[in-house]
Amino acid sequence: MSTAREQPIFSTRAHVFQIDPATKRNWIPAGKHALTVSYFYDATRNVYRIISIGGAKAIINSTVTPNMTFTKTSQKFGQWADSRANTVYGLGFASEQHLTQFAEKFQEVKEAARLAREKSQDGGELTSPALGLSTHQVPPSPLISTNGPPSDEKLFRSQSAEAPGPAERERLKKMLSEGSVGEVQWEAEFFALQDSNNKLASALREANAAAAQWRQQLEAQRAEAERLRHRVAELEAQAATEPTPVSEKEGPGQTLEQLESLVQTKDQEIQTLKSQAGGPREAPDAMDQEETQQKVQDLETRNVELEHQLRVTERSLEEARAERERARAEVGRAAQLLDVRLFELSELREGLARLAEGAP
């Protein structure tokens, strides 16, 4: 079979069947997978053919004639009888749309073949009323005759030289009507389900891989959440013990108010001593005056020390307060991050649950 001078005008994919020549009822699949089925137009001979190649063998080599009829037996299956090949071809499509497209193209090609036959008959070029072709114009396919079983000559007799008579047409109609529609639908659906099963198996493998990745992410999220819990506990414990160093810096029994009161008392004592030292005295004593001045100096020194201690205490208190605020802020951020992690963990659990429910 040479297609060098033929041009494909339409192609689709379908599961190809042929009627069982022995029973004329059951369908024999041409293969386990869908094959490419194409319409070819031979401009030299002005004929149309339906061709499907499986490996090195021509599964379908059917010349379209005006007498042919393509019948839809289900939503995804159609068939037509080829009297020249003495067989019935069946095609199982993946969808009803593909079946409709093939059937519409069949009608177009059939009408074109009819017009070509009428034109050829008017010109006296064709002699076959059944096929619109002479016997020598369309030789039998060498691939079919070479690769076919030894009993093909008995099972499929060439009828290209003469048109099918009424008896032959009645036999073909009976064969089509008696064909088991249920078996046709079952076999077509079986191959469609095989394709769907392969797709589902691939999707299941991808889902399992995604589930394994989700499990790894879940374990990582759990470890991160546990680490954050420990960090939050540490920060809370640190925040609870923050006031203790401040009280130690202040000294036992001393608070900021006590220090301020002590400073005011010492100031009053200094003023009192100054007034005593500068006031009139009846019997001034040099030693008492020196002693008083020494006390004043001591009190001033003590006052400076207390003021310095007060400033140090205030700074320590401010630092402790700032540190406590930082600790609280860090605890808040850690708590927010923990909430986010827990929410992500919840979403992962729900995703795994949905995946487990959807898995077969």
Side-chain angles (χ1 to χ4, degrees):
M1 179 183 62
S2 174
T3 60
R5 60 187 178 183
E6 292 178 300
Q7 298 296 328
I9 58 176
F10 178 82
S11 295
T12 186
R13 291 186 65 84
H15 294 278
V16 180
F17 300 87
Q18 280 185 284
I19 202 72
D20 188 354
T23 62
K24 302 294 183 181
R25 292 177 59 86
N26 300 325
W27 289 101
I28 300 176
K32 295 182 179 179
H33 304 287
L35 301 175
T36 299
V37 182
S38 303
Y39 287 94
F40 279 85
Y41 173 64
D42 188 347
T44 303
R45 296 181 296 174
N46 198 20
V47 295
Y48 297 86
R49 289 197 296 170
I50 302 174
I51 297 176
S52 178
I53 305 296
K57 182 180 179 181
I59 305 300
I60 299 177
N61 183 13
S62 177
T63 301
V64 180
T65 67
N67 297 328
M68 289 184 178
T69 301
F70 185 81
T71 306
K72 296 180 183 180
T73 58
S74 68
Q75 291 183 349
K76 299 180 181 180
F77 195 88
Q79 62 187 34
W80 78 96
D82 188 344
S83 59
R84 181 174 179 270
N86 195 24
T87 188
V88 179
Y89 295 105
L91 297 179
F93 295 89
S95 66
E96 185 177 0
Q97 180 181 2
H98 290 83
L99 173 61
T100 302
Q101 291 176 352
F102 187 88
E104 292 175 353
K105 183 59 65 175
F106 193 97
Q107 290 298 120
E108 294 177 7
V109 170
K110 175 181 173 182
E111 182 65 21
R114 184 185 65 80
L115 296 175
R117 187 183 69 170
E118 291 177 355
K119 183 177 179 181
S120 299
Q121 284 178 347
D122 293 341
E125 296 177 0
L126 301 178
T127 59
S128 175
L131 301 178
L133 297 170
S134 61
T135 305
H136 67 277
Q137 285 179 318
V138 185
S141 172
L143 290 176
I144 294 182
S145 61
T146 301
N147 298 318
S151 59
D152 280 353
E153 294 181 358
K154 296 180 180 180
L155 295 177
F156 305 113
R157 297 183 301 276
S158 175
Q159 297 180 359
S160 61
E162 59 182 12
E168 181 67 15
R169 287 197 296 270
E170 290 297 328
R171 186 182 69 81
L172 290 174
K173 289 181 181 179
K174 183 178 180 181
M175 180 173 59
L176 291 174
S177 62
E178 291 179 355
S180 176
V181 177
E183 293 179 1
V184 170
Q185 293 177 347
W186 181 87
E187 292 183 7
E189 293 296 332
F190 172 74
F191 288 105
L193 286 175
Q194 278 188 335
D195 292 338
S196 299
N197 187 39
N198 293 333
K199 294 178 181 179
L200 288 175
S202 176
L204 181 59
R205 287 192 295 269
E206 294 177 358
N208 289 334
Q213 184 178 2
W214 288 349
R215 291 190 187 96
Q216 293 178 356
Q217 293 179 356
L218 179 61
E219 293 299 328
Q221 296 290 345
R222 286 178 176 173
E224 181 69 14
E226 190 66 24
R227 188 186 68 81
L228 289 174
R229 287 194 186 96
H230 289 303
R231 179 60 178 165
V232 169
E234 292 175 0
L235 291 174
E236 289 178 349
Q238 183 179 357
T241 57
E242 283 296 332
T244 302
V246 177
S247 63
E248 292 177 355
K249 290 180 181 179
E250 291 176 351
Q254 287 186 343
T255 61
L256 185 60
E257 290 79 5
Q258 291 175 348
L259 288 173
E260 292 177 350
S261 176
L262 181 60
V263 170
Q264 292 177 358
T265 302
K266 295 300 180 181
D267 287 338
Q268 291 176 1
E269 291 180 0
I270 291 171
Q271 295 297 329
T272 303
L273 290 174
K274 284 182 178 180
S275 62
Q276 291 177 358
R281 301 184 63 180
E282 296 178 356
D285 190 355
M287 294 181 63
D288 292 340
Q289 187 176 2
E290 291 178 359
E291 183 179 356
T292 302
Q293 291 178 354
Q294 184 65 34
K295 288 182 179 180
V296 169
Q297 292 178 357
D298 293 340
L299 288 173
E300 289 178 349
T301 303
R302 178 61 178 167
N303 188 29
V304 171
E305 292 177 355
L306 289 174
E307 289 179 353
H308 177 70
Q309 185 178 1
L310 178 61
R311 287 192 294 270
V312 170
T313 303
E314 289 177 348
R315 284 197 301 269
S316 300
L317 182 60
E318 292 298 328
E319 291 176 357
R321 289 175 179 173
E323 183 65 24
R324 186 169 184 178
E325 291 297 328
R326 285 195 297 270
R328 286 179 179 176
E330 189 174 355
V331 169
R333 287 194 298 270
Q336 292 178 357
L337 183 59
L338 180 60
D339 292 338
V340 172
R341 297 300 185 189
L342 290 176
F343 179 73
E344 292 177 354
L345 286 175
S346 177
E347 287 187 340
L348 283 174
R349 290 194 185 97
E350 292 178 358
L352 290 174
R354 290 194 298 269
L355 182 62
E357 292 176 357

